[in-house]
Amino acid sequence: AVVSTQSAVGTFFFFVAAPIITVVATSLILLKHLLYARQVSSRSSGNVRWQGIATVVLTATVYCVSFIPRAVSIMTKGRIVSGWYEIYAPRVGETFMYFNVAANFFVYILTVPSFQKFLKTRIRLMKSCVIMNSGK
């Protein structure tokens, strides 16, 4: 029983706590530097954007929220005896992790004007290619 408890604690730390702690800690450090940059920018030109701060906060939040089902699955593995749960809980956890990857695209659309401009340009280019090729 002692080995399985130690194993469970190790698994929890390695697969649940460590990634979340890393994301939160690095996000806080990055936010500290972004807030300082915003402060310096506001003193010099007065034109301050929140895009970097919003991008970091949203990306870290989406990651932590999308990791919750995976964390629950890891923490409850072997404790809940149910065929359904043992099959579907890990799958749901993994699916939410993919949600995190897909959500980053939308976070960038919402928070980064240069990414919005890039997408608009690419869509116009693709639209013109489709129009040109449809006439052949």
Side-chain angles (χ1 to χ4, degrees):
V2 174
V3 174
S4 66
T5 303
Q6 289 174 346
S7 174
V9 170
T11 301
F12 171 77
F13 180 76
F14 187 73
F15 289 108
V16 177
I20 290 178
I21 290 169
T22 302
V23 167
V24 170
T26 55
S27 295
L28 289 174
I29 292 168
L30 187 56
L31 283 173
K32 177 184 173 199
H33 291 290
L34 287 170
L35 288 170
Y36 176 73
R38 181 181 181 278
Q39 184 180 25
V40 169
S41 173
S42 67
R43 277 190 254 147
S44 62
S45 67
N47 185 14
V48 179
R49 289 194 210 171
W50 284 92
Q51 75 183 42
I53 295 169
T55 303
V56 169
V57 169
L58 282 172
T59 303
T61 302
V62 167
Y63 174 80
C64 290
V65 168
S66 70
F67 199 78
I68 290 171
R70 179 80 174 127
V72 169
S73 171
I74 290 169
M75 290 185 306
T76 59
K77 185 176 183 175
R79 294 191 176 125
I80 297 178
V81 182
S82 165
W84 180 90
Y85 187 81
E86 290 174 5
I87 293 171
Y88 292 107
R91 291 180 184 176
V92 169
E94 293 296 323
T95 301
F96 270 82
M97 291 302 293
Y98 289 119
F99 164 73
N100 172 54
V101 174
N104 286 335
F105 173 78
F106 297 102
V107 168
Y108 297 147
I109 286 176
L110 289 171
T111 60
V112 183
S114 61
F115 187 66
Q116 295 167 0
K117 185 176 178 181
F118 168 77
L119 282 178
K120 285 178 187 176
T121 303
R122 296 302 275 175
I123 290 170
R124 283 188 202 123
L125 177 64
M126 289 174 61
K127 196 186 298 184
S128 67
C129 287
V130 168
I131 291 170
M132 284 178 25
N133 289 331
S134 65
K136 289 184 178 180

